[in-house]
C-alpha cells in the first residue's frame, strides 16, 4: 500500500511517481493500492482513474488510524 499525498499548493509529483512504481510492481506480480486524502484525489485525477484500489482517509490521519482502517 502506498501512502502519499498531493495538494494544489504542493503539486502531485510524488503521487505520480508512486503510481509509476506501482505500475511496475503490478507488472512484476505485486498487488498495489493507495491510501490518500480526498484532496489528493481532487489534485491527481489520474489516480482515481488508474484502476488501483484507493482507500480514502482523513488528511491528518495518524499511522495508528491508518493501520486500523486497513486492517478493519
Amino acid at each position: 500500500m502506498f501512502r502519499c499525498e498531493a495538494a494544489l499548493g504542493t503539486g502531485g509529483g510524488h503521487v505520480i511517481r508512486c503510481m509509476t512504481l506501482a505500475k511496475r510492481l503490478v507488472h512484476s506480480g505485486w498487488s498495489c493500492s493507495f491510501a490518500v486524502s480526498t484532496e489528493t484525489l481532487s489534485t491527481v485525477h489520474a489516480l482515481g482513474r488508474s484502476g488501483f484500489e484507493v482507500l480514502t482517509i482523513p488528511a491528518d490521519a495518524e499511522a495508528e488510524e491508518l493501520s486500523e482502517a486497513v486492517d478493519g
Side-chain angles (χ1 to χ4, degrees):
M1 176 167 287
F2 286 83
R3 174 68 174 101
C4 49
E5 290 295 331
L8 291 176
T10 59
H14 180 67
V15 176
I16 297 297
R17 288 187 294 278
C18 288
M19 287 174 51
T20 300
L21 177 58
K23 289 176 186 176
R24 184 65 185 155
L25 289 170
V26 167
H27 181 72
S28 297
W30 289 72
S31 176
C32 297
S33 57
F34 287 78
V36 300
S37 67
T38 55
E39 184 176 18
T40 298
L41 286 175
S42 297
T43 303
V44 183
H45 299 278
L47 179 58
R49 298 186 306 261
S50 68
F52 289 112
E53 177 184 11
V54 178
L55 173 66
T56 305
I57 58 173
D60 59 350
E62 296 294 326
E64 184 177 329
E65 291 172 327
L66 175 59
S67 178
E68 290 174 9
V70 171
D71 294 337

Coordinates of all heavy atoms in Angstrom, one line a residue:
M1 N 0.8 -1.2 0.0 CA 0.0 0.0 0.0 C 0.9 1.2 0.0 O 1.8 1.3 0.8 CB -0.9 0.0 1.2 CG -1.7 1.3 1.3 SD -3.1 1.2 2.5 CE -4.2 0.2 1.6
F2 N 0.6 2.1 -0.9 CA 1.3 3.4 -1.0 C 0.5 4.4 -0.1 O -0.7 4.6 -0.3 CB 1.4 3.9 -2.4 CG 2.4 3.2 -3.2 CD1 2.0 2.0 -3.8 CD2 3.7 3.6 -3.4 CE1 3.0 1.3 -4.6 CE2 4.6 3.0 -4.2 CZ 4.2 1.8 -4.8
R3 N 1.2 5.2 0.7 CA 0.6 6.3 1.5 C 1.3 7.5 1.0 O 2.4 7.8 1.2 CB 0.9 6.1 3.0 CG 0.4 7.2 3.8 CD -1.1 7.3 3.9 NE -1.5 8.4 4.8 CZ -1.9 9.6 4.4 NH1 -1.8 9.9 3.1 NH2 -2.2 10.5 5.3
C4 N 0.5 8.3 0.2 CA 1.1 9.5 -0.4 C 0.0 10.6 -0.4 O -1.2 10.3 -0.4 CB 1.7 9.2 -1.8 SG 0.6 8.3 -2.9
E5 N 0.4 11.8 -0.6 CA -0.5 13.0 -0.6 C -0.1 13.9 -1.7 O 1.0 14.0 -2.1 CB -0.4 13.7 0.8 CG -1.1 12.9 1.9 CD -2.6 12.7 1.8 OE1 -3.2 13.5 1.1 OE2 -3.1 11.7 2.3
A6 N -1.1 14.7 -2.1 CA -0.9 15.8 -3.0 C -1.9 16.9 -2.7 O -2.9 16.6 -2.1 CB -1.2 15.3 -4.5
A7 N -1.6 18.1 -3.1 CA -2.5 19.2 -2.8 C -2.2 20.3 -3.9 O -1.1 20.3 -4.5 CB -2.2 19.8 -1.4
L8 N -3.1 21.2 -4.1 CA -2.9 22.2 -5.1 C -1.7 23.0 -4.8 O -1.0 23.4 -5.7 CB -4.2 23.1 -5.1 CG -5.4 22.5 -5.6 CD1 -6.6 23.5 -5.5 CD2 -5.3 22.0 -7.1
G9 N -1.4 23.3 -3.6 CA -0.2 24.1 -3.2 C 1.1 23.4 -3.4 O 2.2 24.0 -3.6
T10 N 1.1 22.1 -3.2 CA 2.4 21.3 -3.3 C 2.5 20.5 -4.6 O 3.6 20.0 -4.8 CB 2.5 20.3 -2.1 OG1 1.4 19.4 -2.1 CG2 2.5 21.1 -0.8
G11 N 1.4 20.3 -5.3 CA 1.5 19.5 -6.5 C 1.4 18.0 -6.3 O 1.2 17.5 -5.2
G12 N 1.4 17.3 -7.4 CA 1.1 15.8 -7.3 C 2.2 15.0 -7.8 O 2.1 13.8 -8.1
G13 N 3.4 15.5 -7.9 CA 4.6 14.8 -8.5 C 4.9 13.5 -7.7 O 5.2 12.5 -8.3
H14 N 4.8 13.6 -6.4 CA 5.1 12.4 -5.6 C 4.1 11.3 -5.8 O 4.5 10.1 -6.0 CB 5.1 12.8 -4.1 CG 5.4 11.6 -3.2 ND1 6.6 11.0 -3.1 CD2 4.6 11.0 -2.3 CE1 6.6 10.0 -2.2 NE2 5.4 10.0 -1.7
V15 N 2.8 11.6 -6.0 CA 1.8 10.6 -6.2 C 2.0 10.0 -7.6 O 1.9 8.8 -7.8 CB 0.4 11.2 -6.1 CG1 -0.7 10.2 -6.5 CG2 0.1 11.7 -4.7
I16 N 2.3 10.8 -8.6 CA 2.6 10.3 -9.9 C 3.8 9.4 -9.9 O 3.7 8.3 -10.6 CB 2.8 11.5 -10.9 CG1 1.6 12.4 -11.0 CG2 3.2 11.0 -12.3 CD1 0.3 11.7 -11.6
R17 N 4.8 9.7 -9.2 CA 6.0 8.8 -9.1 C 5.6 7.5 -8.5 O 6.0 6.4 -8.9 CB 7.1 9.5 -8.4 CG 7.8 10.6 -9.3 CD 9.0 11.1 -8.6 NE 8.8 11.9 -7.4 CZ 8.4 13.1 -7.3 NH1 8.2 13.8 -8.4 NH2 8.2 13.7 -6.2
C18 N 4.8 7.6 -7.4 CA 4.3 6.4 -6.7 C 3.5 5.5 -7.7 O 3.6 4.3 -7.7 CB 3.5 6.7 -5.5 SG 4.5 7.4 -4.1
M19 N 2.6 6.1 -8.5 CA 1.8 5.4 -9.4 C 2.7 4.7 -10.5 O 2.4 3.5 -10.8 CB 0.8 6.3 -10.2 CG -0.3 6.8 -9.3 SD -1.4 8.0 -10.1 CE -1.7 7.2 -11.6
T20 N 3.8 5.4 -10.9 CA 4.7 4.7 -11.8 C 5.4 3.5 -11.2 O 5.5 2.5 -11.9 CB 5.8 5.8 -12.3 OG1 5.1 6.9 -12.9 CG2 6.8 5.2 -13.3
L21 N 5.8 3.6 -10.0 CA 6.4 2.5 -9.3 C 5.4 1.4 -9.1 O 5.7 0.2 -9.4 CB 7.0 2.9 -8.0 CG 7.6 1.8 -7.1 CD1 8.7 1.1 -7.8 CD2 8.1 2.4 -5.8
A22 N 4.2 1.7 -8.7 CA 3.1 0.7 -8.5 C 2.8 0.0 -9.8 O 2.6 -1.3 -9.8 CB 1.9 1.4 -8.0
K23 N 2.8 0.7 -10.9 CA 2.5 0.0 -12.2 C 3.6 -1.0 -12.5 O 3.3 -2.1 -13.0 CB 2.4 1.0 -13.4 CG 1.2 1.9 -13.3 CD 1.2 2.9 -14.4 CE 0.0 3.9 -14.2 NZ 0.0 5.0 -15.2
R24 N 4.8 -0.7 -12.2 CA 5.9 -1.6 -12.5 C 5.9 -2.8 -11.5 O 6.1 -3.9 -11.9 CB 7.3 -0.8 -12.3 CG 8.5 -1.7 -12.6 CD 8.5 -2.0 -14.1 NE 9.6 -2.9 -14.3 CZ 9.7 -3.8 -15.2 NH1 8.7 -3.9 -16.1 NH2 10.7 -4.6 -15.4
L25 N 5.5 -2.5 -10.3 CA 5.4 -3.6 -9.3 C 4.2 -4.6 -9.8 O 4.4 -5.8 -9.7 CB 5.1 -3.1 -7.9 CG 6.3 -2.4 -7.2 CD1 5.8 -1.7 -6.0 CD2 7.4 -3.4 -7.0
V26 N 3.1 -4.0 -10.2 CA 2.0 -4.9 -10.7 C 2.4 -5.7 -11.9 O 2.1 -6.9 -12.0 CB 0.8 -4.0 -11.0 CG1 -0.3 -4.8 -11.8 CG2 0.2 -3.4 -9.8
H27 N 3.2 -5.1 -12.7 CA 3.7 -5.8 -13.9 C 4.6 -7.0 -13.5 O 4.7 -8.0 -14.2 CB 4.5 -4.9 -14.8 CG 5.1 -5.5 -16.0 ND1 4.3 -5.8 -17.1 CD2 6.4 -5.8 -16.4 CE1 5.1 -6.4 -18.0 NE2 6.3 -6.4 -17.6
S28 N 5.2 -6.9 -12.3 CA 6.1 -7.9 -11.7 C 5.3 -8.9 -10.8 O 6.0 -9.7 -10.2 CB 7.3 -7.3 -11.0 OG 8.1 -6.5 -11.8
G29 N 4.0 -8.8 -10.7 CA 3.2 -9.7 -10.0 C 2.7 -9.2 -8.6 O 2.1 -10.0 -7.9
W30 N 3.1 -8.0 -8.2 CA 2.6 -7.5 -6.9 C 1.2 -6.9 -7.0 O 0.7 -6.7 -8.1 CB 3.5 -6.3 -6.5 CG 4.9 -6.7 -6.1 CD1 5.9 -7.2 -6.9 CD2 5.4 -6.8 -4.8 NE1 7.0 -7.4 -6.2 CE2 6.8 -7.2 -4.9 CE3 4.9 -6.4 -3.6 CZ2 7.6 -7.3 -3.8 CZ3 5.8 -6.6 -2.5 CH2 7.1 -7.0 -2.6
S31 N 0.6 -6.8 -5.9 CA -0.7 -6.1 -5.8 C -0.5 -4.8 -5.1 O 0.1 -4.8 -4.0 CB -1.7 -7.0 -5.0 OG -2.9 -6.3 -4.8
C32 N -1.0 -3.7 -5.6 CA -0.7 -2.4 -5.1 C -2.0 -1.6 -4.9 O -2.9 -1.8 -5.7 CB 0.2 -1.6 -6.0 SG 1.9 -2.3 -6.2
S33 N -2.1 -0.8 -3.8 CA -3.2 0.0 -3.6 C -2.6 1.3 -3.0 O -1.5 1.5 -2.6 CB -4.2 -0.6 -2.6 OG -3.5 -1.0 -1.4
F34 N -3.5 2.3 -2.8 CA -3.1 3.6 -2.3 C -4.1 4.1 -1.2 O -5.3 3.8 -1.2 CB -3.2 4.7 -3.5 CG -2.2 4.6 -4.5 CD1 -2.2 3.6 -5.5 CD2 -1.1 5.4 -4.4 CE1 -1.2 3.5 -6.4 CE2 -0.1 5.3 -5.4 CZ -0.1 4.3 -6.3
A35 N -3.5 4.7 -0.2 CA -4.2 5.4 0.9 C -3.9 6.9 0.8 O -2.8 7.3 1.0 CB -3.8 4.8 2.3
V36 N -5.0 7.6 0.5 CA -4.8 9.1 0.2 C -6.0 9.8 0.8 O -7.0 9.3 1.0 CB -4.6 9.3 -1.3 CG1 -3.4 8.6 -1.9 CG2 -5.9 9.0 -2.0
S37 N -5.8 11.1 0.9 CA -6.9 12.0 1.3 C -7.8 12.3 0.1 O -7.4 12.2 -1.1 CB -6.4 13.3 1.9 OG -5.7 14.1 0.9
T38 N -9.0 12.9 0.3 CA -9.8 13.3 -0.8 C -9.2 14.4 -1.5 O -9.4 14.5 -2.7 CB -11.2 13.7 -0.3 OG1 -11.1 14.7 0.7 CG2 -12.0 12.5 0.3
E39 N -8.4 15.2 -0.9 CA -7.7 16.3 -1.5 C -6.7 15.8 -2.6 O -6.6 16.4 -3.7 CB -7.0 17.2 -0.5 CG -6.3 18.4 -1.2 CD -5.7 19.4 -0.2 OE1 -5.4 19.0 1.0 OE2 -5.4 20.5 -0.6
T40 N -6.1 14.7 -2.3 CA -5.2 14.1 -3.2 C -5.9 13.6 -4.4 O -5.5 13.8 -5.6 CB -4.4 12.9 -2.6 OG1 -3.7 13.4 -1.5 CG2 -3.5 12.2 -3.5
L41 N -7.1 13.0 -4.3 CA -7.9 12.5 -5.4 C -8.3 13.7 -6.2 O -8.4 13.6 -7.5 CB -9.1 11.7 -5.0 CG -8.7 10.3 -4.5 CD1 -10.0 9.6 -4.0 CD2 -8.1 9.5 -5.6
S42 N -8.6 14.8 -5.6 CA -9.0 16.0 -6.3 C -7.9 16.7 -7.1 O -8.1 17.3 -8.1 CB -9.6 17.1 -5.3 OG -10.8 16.6 -4.7
T43 N -6.7 16.5 -6.6 CA -5.5 17.1 -7.2 C -4.9 16.2 -8.3 O -4.5 16.7 -9.4 CB -4.4 17.3 -6.1 OG1 -4.9 18.1 -5.1 CG2 -3.2 18.0 -6.7
V44 N -4.9 14.9 -8.1 CA -4.3 14.0 -9.1 C -5.5 13.1 -9.6 O -5.7 12.0 -9.1 CB -3.2 13.1 -8.4 CG1 -2.6 12.2 -9.5 CG2 -2.1 14.0 -7.8
H45 N -6.2 13.6 -10.6 CA -7.3 12.9 -11.1 C -6.9 11.5 -11.7 O -7.7 10.6 -11.7 CB -8.0 13.7 -12.2 CG -8.5 15.0 -11.6 ND1 -9.7 15.1 -11.0 CD2 -8.0 16.3 -11.7 CE1 -9.9 16.4 -10.6 NE2 -8.9 17.1 -11.0
A46 N -5.7 11.4 -12.2 CA -5.3 10.2 -12.8 C -5.3 9.0 -11.8 O -5.5 7.8 -12.2 CB -3.9 10.3 -13.4
L47 N -5.1 9.3 -10.5 CA -5.1 8.2 -9.5 C -6.5 7.6 -9.4 O -6.6 6.3 -9.4 CB -4.7 8.7 -8.1 CG -4.7 7.7 -7.0 CD1 -3.8 6.5 -7.3 CD2 -4.3 8.4 -5.7
G48 N -7.5 8.4 -9.5 CA -8.9 7.8 -9.4 C -9.2 7.0 -10.6 O -10.1 6.1 -10.6
R49 N -8.6 7.3 -11.7 CA -8.8 6.6 -13.0 C -7.8 5.5 -13.3 O -7.9 4.8 -14.3 CB -8.8 7.5 -14.2 CG -9.9 8.6 -14.1 CD -9.9 9.5 -15.4 NE -8.6 10.0 -15.7 CZ -8.2 11.3 -15.5 NH1 -9.1 12.1 -14.8 NH2 -7.1 11.7 -15.8
S50 N -6.9 5.2 -12.3 CA -5.8 4.3 -12.6 C -6.1 2.9 -12.5 O -5.4 2.0 -13.0 CB -4.7 4.6 -11.5 OG -5.1 4.2 -10.3
G51 N -7.2 2.5 -11.9 CA -7.6 1.1 -11.7 C -7.0 0.5 -10.4 O -7.4 -0.6 -10.0
F52 N -6.2 1.3 -9.7 CA -5.7 0.9 -8.4 C -6.8 1.0 -7.3 O -7.6 1.9 -7.4 CB -4.5 1.7 -7.9 CG -3.2 1.4 -8.7 CD1 -2.7 2.4 -9.5 CD2 -2.6 0.2 -8.6 CE1 -1.6 2.2 -10.3 CE2 -1.4 -0.1 -9.4 CZ -0.9 0.9 -10.2
E53 N -6.8 0.1 -6.3 CA -7.7 0.3 -5.2 C -7.2 1.5 -4.4 O -6.0 1.7 -4.2 CB -7.6 -0.9 -4.3 CG -8.4 -0.8 -3.1 CD -8.3 -2.0 -2.1 OE1 -7.3 -2.8 -2.3 OE2 -9.0 -2.0 -1.2
V54 N -8.1 2.4 -4.1 CA -7.8 3.6 -3.4 C -8.6 3.7 -2.1 O -9.9 3.7 -2.2 CB -8.1 4.9 -4.3 CG1 -7.8 6.2 -3.5 CG2 -7.2 4.8 -5.6
L55 N -8.0 3.8 -1.0 CA -8.6 4.0 0.3 C -8.5 5.4 0.6 O -7.4 6.0 0.7 CB -7.9 3.1 1.3 CG -8.3 3.3 2.8 CD1 -9.8 2.8 3.0 CD2 -7.4 2.6 3.7
T56 N -9.7 6.1 0.9 CA -9.7 7.5 1.2 C -9.7 7.6 2.7 O -10.5 7.0 3.4 CB -10.9 8.2 0.7 OG1 -11.0 8.0 -0.7 CG2 -10.9 9.7 0.9
I57 N -8.7 8.4 3.2 CA -8.5 8.6 4.7 C -8.5 10.1 5.0 O -8.2 10.9 4.1 CB -7.2 7.9 5.2 CG1 -6.0 8.4 4.4 CG2 -7.3 6.4 5.0 CD1 -4.7 7.9 5.0
P58 N -8.7 10.5 6.2 CA -8.6 11.9 6.6 C -7.1 12.4 6.3 O -6.2 11.6 6.5 CB -8.9 11.9 8.1 CG -9.7 10.7 8.3 CD -9.1 9.7 7.3
A59 N -7.0 13.6 5.9 CA -5.7 14.1 5.5 C -4.7 14.1 6.7 O -3.5 14.0 6.6 CB -5.8 15.5 5.0
D60 N -5.3 14.3 7.9 CA -4.4 14.3 9.1 C -4.4 13.0 9.9 O -4.1 12.9 11.1 CB -4.8 15.4 10.0 CG -6.3 15.3 10.5 OD1 -7.0 14.4 10.0 OD2 -6.7 16.0 11.4
A61 N -4.7 11.9 9.2 CA -4.7 10.6 9.8 C -3.3 10.2 10.4 O -2.3 10.4 9.8 CB -5.2 9.5 8.9
E62 N -3.4 9.7 11.6 CA -2.1 9.2 12.3 C -1.9 7.8 11.8 O -2.8 7.1 11.3 CB -2.3 9.2 13.8 CG -2.5 10.6 14.4 CD -1.2 11.5 14.2 OE1 -0.1 10.9 14.2 OE2 -1.4 12.7 14.0
A63 N -0.7 7.3 11.9 CA -0.3 6.0 11.5 C -1.2 4.9 12.1 O -1.6 4.0 11.4 CB 1.2 5.7 11.8
E64 N -1.5 5.1 13.4 CA -2.4 4.1 14.0 C -3.8 4.0 13.4 O -4.3 3.0 13.2 CB -2.5 4.4 15.5 CG -3.3 3.4 16.3 CD -3.3 3.7 17.8 OE1 -2.3 4.3 18.3 OE2 -4.3 3.4 18.4
E65 N -4.3 5.2 13.1 CA -5.6 5.2 12.4 C -5.6 4.6 11.1 O -6.5 3.9 10.7 CB -6.1 6.7 12.3 CG -6.5 7.3 13.7 CD -6.8 8.8 13.5 OE1 -6.1 9.5 12.6 OE2 -7.6 9.3 14.3
L66 N -4.5 4.8 10.3 CA -4.4 4.2 9.0 C -4.3 2.7 9.2 O -5.0 2.0 8.4 CB -3.1 4.7 8.3 CG -2.8 4.1 7.0 CD1 -3.9 4.3 6.0 CD2 -1.5 4.7 6.4
S67 N -3.6 2.2 10.1 CA -3.4 0.8 10.4 C -4.8 0.2 10.7 O -5.1 -0.9 10.1 CB -2.5 0.5 11.5 OG -2.4 -0.9 11.8
E68 N -5.6 0.8 11.5 CA -6.9 0.3 11.8 C -7.8 0.3 10.6 O -8.6 -0.6 10.4 CB -7.5 1.2 12.9 CG -6.9 1.0 14.3 CD -7.4 2.0 15.3 OE1 -8.4 2.7 15.0 OE2 -6.9 2.1 16.4
A69 N -7.7 1.4 9.7 CA -8.6 1.4 8.5 C -8.2 0.3 7.6 O -9.1 -0.3 7.0 CB -8.4 2.8 7.9
V70 N -6.9 0.0 7.5 CA -6.5 -1.0 6.5 C -6.9 -2.4 7.1 O -7.3 -3.3 6.3 CB -5.0 -0.9 6.3 CG1 -4.5 -2.1 5.5 CG2 -4.7 0.3 5.5
D71 N -6.6 -2.6 8.4 CA -6.9 -3.9 9.0 C -8.4 -4.2 9.2 O -8.8 -5.3 9.2 CB -6.2 -4.1 10.3 CG -4.7 -4.1 10.1 OD1 -4.2 -4.4 9.0 OD2 -3.9 -3.7 11.1
G72 N -9.2 -3.1 9.4 CA -10.5 -3.2 9.8 C -11.5 -3.7 8.8 O -12.4 -4.2 8.9

